[in-house]
Amino acid sequence: MSAVMPDAPAPAPANSSVPVPVPSHFQTFLAFDFGLKRTGVASGNRLLQSATPQATIKAEGDARFAQVEARIKEWQPDALVIGVPYHPDGAPHENTRRAQKFARQLRGRFNLQVFEVDERYSTTEALSSGARDADAASACIILEQFLRSLP
């Protein structure tokens, strides 16, 4: 897992084991598992190191950002967490770039810090656990992985 600070020049390598420090006053987070048609959402906090699935966003473009804005207003997170997919060998692919673009758009639109998390296999894990909403379950896995990495 690697968390990337928003002003870093490029994401840390997918296999980086040294997470970027997250300010200790950041306690609440909203996580997204970005997809072209659906975006999984989870909320969580540092104290409990747990995440709760939220309703998946089933929208694209500006409609997606309107729903993201509503979630941010509802949950008032200190920061956002985005799952960024990679090939099994750590190489980026088209969805890697799409998720990173989504992260940049969130930073720009909502002026919140966004931490990127290597989310290889999160959807597979969510499906194998029998999740009814694999996107929201994947967002939970991403957020819990991030929260466990915090001191």
Side-chain angles (χ1 to χ4, degrees):
M1 201 278 315
S2 65
V4 178
M5 293 296 291
D7 45 347
N15 59 0
S16 172
S17 61
V18 180
V20 174
V22 177
S24 61
H25 66 277
F26 283 12
Q27 294 295 311
T28 60
F29 300 89
L30 202 55
F32 299 97
D33 178 30
F34 175 79
L36 290 177
K37 302 282 184 193
R38 295 178 318 277
T39 300
V41 183
S43 60
N45 72 68
R46 189 177 203 145
L47 180 65
L48 298 177
Q49 292 188 335
S50 66
T52 303
Q54 304 302 320
T56 291
I57 294 171
K58 297 173 184 161
E60 301 174 51
D62 285 340
R64 178 195 329 259
F65 286 108
Q67 289 189 39
V68 168
E69 181 176 16
R71 305 294 174 89
I72 289 172
K73 285 180 179 177
E74 177 182 358
W75 291 99
Q76 299 288 306
D78 294 317
L80 306 176
V81 176
I82 305 298
V84 179
Y86 292 92
H87 284 296
D89 66 359
H93 51 77
E94 189 58 36
N95 285 338
T96 306
R97 290 179 279 284
R98 288 179 180 133
Q100 290 169 331
K101 178 181 178 184
F102 181 62
R104 288 190 305 274
Q105 290 173 318
L106 291 174
R107 283 183 201 107
R109 287 177 182 245
F110 304 111
N111 198 30
L112 288 169
Q113 285 192 322
V114 178
F115 298 95
E116 296 177 4
V117 174
D118 178 348
E119 62 119 330
R120 280 179 274 184
Y121 308 116
S122 64
T123 301
T124 302
E125 185 179 337
L127 290 170
S128 69
S129 72
R132 289 185 305 177
D133 182 343
D135 299 301
S138 184
C140 277
I141 291 165
I142 291 163
L143 184 52
E144 287 176 349
Q145 179 180 343
F146 173 78
L147 292 168
R148 284 191 308 268
S149 75
L150 301 177

